[in-house]
Amino acid sequence: MSTPAGPSPTDMQHHAPSNSKPHRVLACVLCQQRKIRCDRTFPCANCKKQNARCVPATQTRPRRKRFPERELLDRLRRYEALLRENRVKFEPLHGQEFQDGEGIGDVDNGTGDDSGGESEKLGLRSPSGSLKSENVTEARSIWHAISQESPSTPGKDTPIANAIESSVKNAWDQLMDGDNILLGMNRNPVDLSTFHPDPVAAFKMWQIYIDQVEPLMKVTHVPSLQPRFIAAVGNVGGIKPALEALMFGIYTMAIVGLKPATCKEIFGAERDDLLTKYQFGCQQALMNAGYLRSTDRECLTALLMHLMSLRPGTNPRSCTAMLGVAIRLAQCLGMHRESMLARCTPFEAEMRRRLWWCLMLYDERMGEKADHKDPVLAPTWDCRIPLSCNDSDLWPEMKEPPSPSRSRTTESLFVVIRSELGDHMRNSSWYLDFSNPCLKPLAKELPDNGSLDALYHRLDREYLRHCDMDNRIQFFTVYLAKLYILRSRLFEHFAAFLNRNGQQSEAERDQGLQRALDYLDCDTLITTSPLCSGYLWYMQSYFPFPAYMHTIQDLRRRPLSHLAERAWDVMHANYQSRLKAYAHYIPDKKMNTPLFIMFSRTVLTAWEALQKASGDPASLPTPKIVTEIVARQLAAMPVGPSSDSSTFGDAQGISTTIATLTPGAPNQNTSPPFAMAAGPQHYMANYDAMPYQSMVAPDSFTYDITQFDWFLQP
């Protein structure tokens, strides 16, 4: 039966008014009803094949009414997908069936076309696929690609991929031996049972570690470690390698925290001898544990303790190189990424966060000393700040993260404050200016434009004002936080000076000098307080070198400024406190190091500038610090006609200084007590970097200025 031909599109256009637009050629009625593609010729190929009448449509197929809450539901599902990707438990809106992407296809997208609609705009997959979007915070696994097995959840392990990865790594470990490439080449195992202290001494070291070291590190969980430690002390021949390495790390850190006289009194041996013995034991235990390929957190903790115990006798450049190994091992364990920490138990994840932050902050300090321009403390990782909780709130078998503590002063107060300050620093513009300016686009936006005053007031409101100032660790935490703020103000001030090419007024110079003096005042308060005496081992790595150099430069440029008298008094107070603190750890004969001599010379040049500016040197009272420095250098000079005066620098310059010393009443310390600023202040640049050659004779002094611990060099 022939099919009557309908009106052609040409005829329809012919009868249309000349001033109207051409009609859109639509699919025929039958093709629209069957939802198949129409070639829009009449009769169309589909109608010819079905031997049916082809009727051109005059209007489009009616669309379903758009679900009014569609956009809101799409957003909710997107947020639910993000929560699942980050392993956050929640109650889904539509029950379990929607968690796996099922049932979503039953909801019409309301568009009537083939586009992805709002779901694609929101980053969701098509209705036929899973609801979950790609996890952009976690790198993809090459093992999944090799096994041709795609996980249903991004980042979730799968059996075949796990089996391939485990087999390859085990075979590689058996084939290659690289555990001895750093700590030694002794391939014969050493019996370490003879290196352990006797049980009584071991328990004393454990108690010293808990009192003086553990509160500042918090990389071990005392309630769960103590029973294992006691059992291991009673059977030193059967200790697992990782635990044994950690025990030797605890021994070394306990000895580091002791003064030589105290160590001799408690253990009947010299401090240096015990350190050498236990450091060797820690090295051997680390090699026995295969530390370079170990996935045991305690093994990495022992390595960090070993590296921290090497100061002050190790060059910072060597130390920061070894810290690079520890950081790479931590990255292999995923400590720097929250997506990897989410796979661990809540207890393990929290302990890894503490270890990561301790490692980062120690590496940052060693990097400063070694003049390393690209530290790992940078805005390129997302490990969260450790929780403010007590050790009793954590236990290895826990299934849920601990609830926030109601107390503002928990046992982890110090590490929380220290991590808060470190997190602010790694995202600060001034810090990135001195480390790696290319990372500025990655830095997160800090509250109040990164204001240091706002940071301090927030920490004070949340933590510091609740501290008991009679408690040792809380007192130390409060003033170390203030010390960091003052130090950061000085560095922020240096960055502003460089950005303005050294243009500054007298008021700005005074402001810069005031920052340096406040920094020295706070350091003096910490090092002289009896409450901080057990934590002075920590302060040894934080000598206020920038504050001294800035103060001395300003005194050379402006020897008669109204802050000059206070500057001399503040420097003398800090000089005395630091010498007294170091005298407990270092023999006096080792004090006259090359860097101490450099420090002495810079102080003497400032004194000579003051004498020249005064016009009447005889009437000037000699600053106490000058008198003590000259007396110390004279006592250290060799005696005899064959003595080489160049050993201790320019003897003529020292003699000239001695000749101009005049007796007089000691200067009274007019520096006000330390106090934080109450409100925001503007930090203006004030750093006149005079040539280093003008401080000391270049042909007689060629030591490395990047090693800032002047009093601690061997």
Side-chain angles (χ1 to χ4, degrees):
M1 181 177 68
S2 61
T3 303
S8 66
T10 306
D11 296 335
M12 297 174 63
Q13 294 178 12
H14 178 73
H15 294 289
S18 58
N19 58 349
S20 63
K21 295 181 180 180
H23 287 281
R24 178 185 176 190
V25 180
L26 303 175
C28 68
V29 176
L30 186 61
C31 289
Q32 284 191 8
Q33 293 175 351
R34 298 177 63 190
K35 298 181 181 180
I36 59 178
R37 184 181 296 277
C38 182
D39 59 8
R40 290 173 170 74
T41 61
F42 302 95
C44 67
N46 294 327
C47 291
K48 289 180 180 180
K49 185 176 181 180
Q50 297 294 329
N51 198 21
R53 182 182 178 184
C54 185
V55 180
T58 58
Q59 61 183 2
T60 60
R61 173 175 169 265
R63 298 181 178 181
R64 291 186 183 182
K65 185 178 180 181
R66 180 176 176 82
F67 189 37
E69 289 83 12
R70 174 67 188 182
E71 182 178 355
L72 177 60
L73 289 176
D74 284 340
R75 293 178 65 182
L76 287 175
R77 290 176 186 134
R78 173 61 175 165
Y79 298 152
E80 290 180 355
L82 293 174
L83 291 173
R84 293 188 194 99
E85 290 171 4
N86 291 279
R87 314 295 194 276
V88 178
K89 292 189 177 182
F90 68 99
E91 183 178 353
L93 179 65
H94 293 289
Q96 182 65 29
E97 66 272 16
F98 279 90
Q99 290 194 30
D100 298 326
E102 299 177 2
I104 298 178
D106 298 336
V107 182
D108 187 76
N109 59 15
T111 59
D113 52 23
D114 298 330
S115 65
E118 295 295 325
S119 296
E120 291 185 0
K121 293 179 181 179
L122 293 173
L124 298 175
R125 296 183 179 180
S126 62
S128 60
S130 172
L131 175 66
K132 297 179 184 296
S133 63
E134 181 181 354
N135 189 351
V136 297
T137 63
E138 184 171 353
R140 296 183 177 181
S141 172
I142 188 63
W143 302 107
H144 293 154
I146 293 176
S147 64
Q148 299 184 9
E149 183 183 25
S150 177
S152 58
T153 302
K156 185 177 180 180
D157 297 332
T158 52
I160 299 178
N162 282 349
I164 294 177
E165 181 181 5
S166 177
S167 299
V168 171
K169 289 184 177 180
N170 288 338
W172 193 262
D173 290 342
Q174 295 175 11
L175 179 64
M176 301 295 180
D177 179 17
D179 295 335
N180 301 326
I181 62 177
L182 292 177
L183 295 183
M185 298 302 296
N186 183 15
R187 297 181 180 274
N188 298 322
V190 178
D191 182 12
L192 294 177
S193 61
T194 59
F195 286 84
H196 284 272
D198 62 80
V200 175
F203 294 145
K204 288 181 179 179
M205 292 182 189
W206 171 253
Q207 191 60 47
I208 294 170
Y209 170 79
I210 292 176
D211 292 341
Q212 300 187 12
V213 178
E214 196 268 345
L216 305 185
M217 295 181 65
K218 278 295 175 186
V219 292
T220 54
H221 185 245
V222 173
S224 62
L225 179 59
Q226 182 164 303
R228 299 166 58 207
F229 183 90
I230 295 174
V233 169
N235 181 23
V236 293
I239 310 175
K240 293 183 179 180
L243 177 59
E244 188 167 37
L246 181 59
M247 292 176 67
F248 276 106
I250 291 172
Y251 299 154
T252 57
M253 291 305 299
I255 299 300
V256 165
L258 286 179
K259 302 172 184 177
T262 307
C263 185
K264 180 73 172 179
E265 179 182 351
I266 296 177
F267 300 108
E270 296 294 335
R271 179 174 178 267
D272 290 346
D273 295 340
L274 290 179
L275 264 181
T276 302
K277 175 183 177 180
Y278 296 137
Q279 285 172 350
F280 176 79
C282 190
Q283 290 179 2
Q284 296 301 315
L286 285 170
M287 287 190 287
N288 293 342
Y291 73 103
L292 288 180
R293 52 186 172 88
S294 174
T295 58
D296 194 320
R297 170 180 51 83
E298 290 186 343
C299 190
L300 180 58
T301 303
L303 177 60
L304 174 60
M305 290 182 178
H306 173 68
L307 295 177
M308 293 184 71
S309 72
L310 295 177
R311 291 294 298 157
T314 303
N315 189 295
R317 294 183 180 179
S318 302
C319 192
T320 193
M322 287 295 295
L323 281 169
V325 176
I327 291 170
R328 177 56 62 87
L329 293 175
Q331 290 173 335
C332 290
L333 295 179
M335 293 185 180
H336 61 304
R337 294 190 303 187
E338 282 297 323
S339 60
M340 296 292 291
L341 293 173
R343 302 184 184 184
C344 304
T345 63
F347 171 81
E348 183 67 19
E350 183 61 21
M351 295 306 299
R352 291 189 178 198
R353 291 188 188 99
R354 292 182 179 184
L355 179 57
W356 174 259
W357 276 99
C358 184
L359 182 60
M360 289 300 98
L361 294 171
Y362 186 64
D363 175 77
E364 190 275 335
R365 181 53 182 163
M366 291 298 104
E368 280 186 345
K369 297 184 178 203
D371 199 27
H372 181 47
K373 296 298 185 182
D374 194 10
V376 185
L377 189 65
T380 54
W381 40 270
D382 63 345
C383 178
R384 293 202 300 264
I385 293 172
L387 296 175
S388 178
C389 62
N390 298 317
D391 280 356
S392 59
D393 299 327
L394 296 170
W395 61 92
E397 298 80 14
M398 64 190 309
K399 302 299 182 182
E400 300 291 337
S403 302
S405 176
R406 294 183 179 180
S407 174
R408 301 297 182 90
T409 55
T410 61
E411 295 173 359
S412 59
L413 174 67
F414 181 83
V415 297
V416 171
I417 296 295
R418 182 183 61 177
S419 301
E420 288 269 12
L421 297 173
D423 188 59
H424 182 276
M425 182 165 65
R426 72 188 182 109
N427 291 284
S428 297
S429 176
W430 63 265
Y431 176 77
L432 294 174
D433 278 337
F434 288 108
S435 57
N436 192 344
C438 297
L439 297 179
K440 282 187 176 182
L442 300 180
K444 67 180 181 182
E445 184 176 354
L446 296 172
D448 300 293
N449 296 321
S451 168
L452 291 169
D453 285 312
L455 171 65
Y456 175 77
H457 290 312
R458 179 176 67 83
L459 295 178
D460 180 67
R461 181 176 61 256
E462 296 180 6
Y463 303 103
L464 303 181
R465 68 176 55 176
H466 306 284
C467 290
D468 178 9
M469 300 307 286
D470 293 328
N471 182 289
R472 293 191 307 158
I473 186 61
Q474 294 179 22
F475 178 90
F476 186 69
T477 301
V478 168
Y479 279 98
L480 203 72
K482 293 180 178 181
L483 184 71
Y484 166 83
I485 296 294
L486 293 173
R487 181 178 182 274
S488 298
R489 285 175 177 173
L490 188 59
F491 275 89
E492 189 178 54
H493 161 86
F494 292 160
F497 168 81
L498 296 177
N499 291 336
R500 291 212 312 267
N501 296 323
Q503 300 298 323
Q504 55 187 344
S505 64
E506 285 298 311
E508 293 166 352
R509 296 177 192 274
D510 290 341
Q511 196 172 47
L513 180 58
Q514 186 69 47
R515 297 289 178 263
L517 297 181
D518 288 344
Y519 181 12
L520 290 174
D521 265 337
C522 186
D523 185 83
T524 303
L525 188 149
I526 294 175
T527 52
T528 56
S529 172
L531 293 175
C532 301
S533 60
Y535 307 132
L536 291 181
W537 67 269
Y538 185 89
M539 293 298 295
Q540 290 183 29
S541 293
Y542 290 88
F543 186 80
F545 170 81
Y548 267 112
M549 294 306 297
H550 181 81
T551 302
I552 293 172
Q553 295 281 43
D554 192 276
L555 288 175
R556 294 185 63 195
R557 177 178 289 272
R558 302 186 305 158
L560 299 177
S561 69
H562 69 282
L563 291 173
E565 184 176 358
R566 185 196 170 205
W568 285 108
D569 292 339
V570 169
M571 283 200 302
H572 174 253
N574 188 262
Y575 172 83
Q576 278 193 322
S577 68
R578 280 284 174 170
L579 279 182
K580 184 178 180 181
Y582 291 138
H584 292 302
Y585 295 91
I586 302 172
D588 187 70
K589 62 182 180 180
K590 293 186 178 181
M591 287 292 192
N592 289 298
T593 63
L595 289 176
F596 177 78
I597 296 168
M598 186 204 75
F599 167 76
S600 303
R601 286 184 167 184
T602 56
V603 173
L604 294 181
T605 56
W607 167 238
E608 291 173 358
L610 176 59
Q611 289 178 312
K612 292 178 182 179
S614 66
D616 186 12
S619 63
L620 286 176
T622 305
K624 294 180 181 179
I625 187 174
V626 174
T627 305
E628 293 186 11
I629 284 177
V630 172
R632 177 173 291 274
Q633 289 202 356
L634 284 177
M637 278 187 175
V639 180
S642 60
S643 300
D644 184 6
S645 61
S646 64
T647 304
F648 293 91
D650 186 1
Q652 182 179 359
I654 295 177
S655 301
T656 304
T657 303
I658 296 172
T660 58
L661 294 180
T662 56
N667 298 331
Q668 300 297 322
N669 193 337
T670 59
S671 58
F674 175 83
M676 291 297 299
Q681 300 182 19
H682 299 286
Y683 308 111
M684 310 303 292
N686 178 25
Y687 187 69
D688 295 326
M690 300 177 67
Y692 176 74
Q693 288 78 6
S694 64
M695 298 183 190
V696 296
D699 55 347
S700 62
F701 191 83
T702 58
Y703 298 100
D704 186 3
I705 196 174
T706 62
Q707 301 181 23
F708 296 163
D709 279 347
W710 291 327
F711 302 115
L712 299 180
Q713 302 304 316

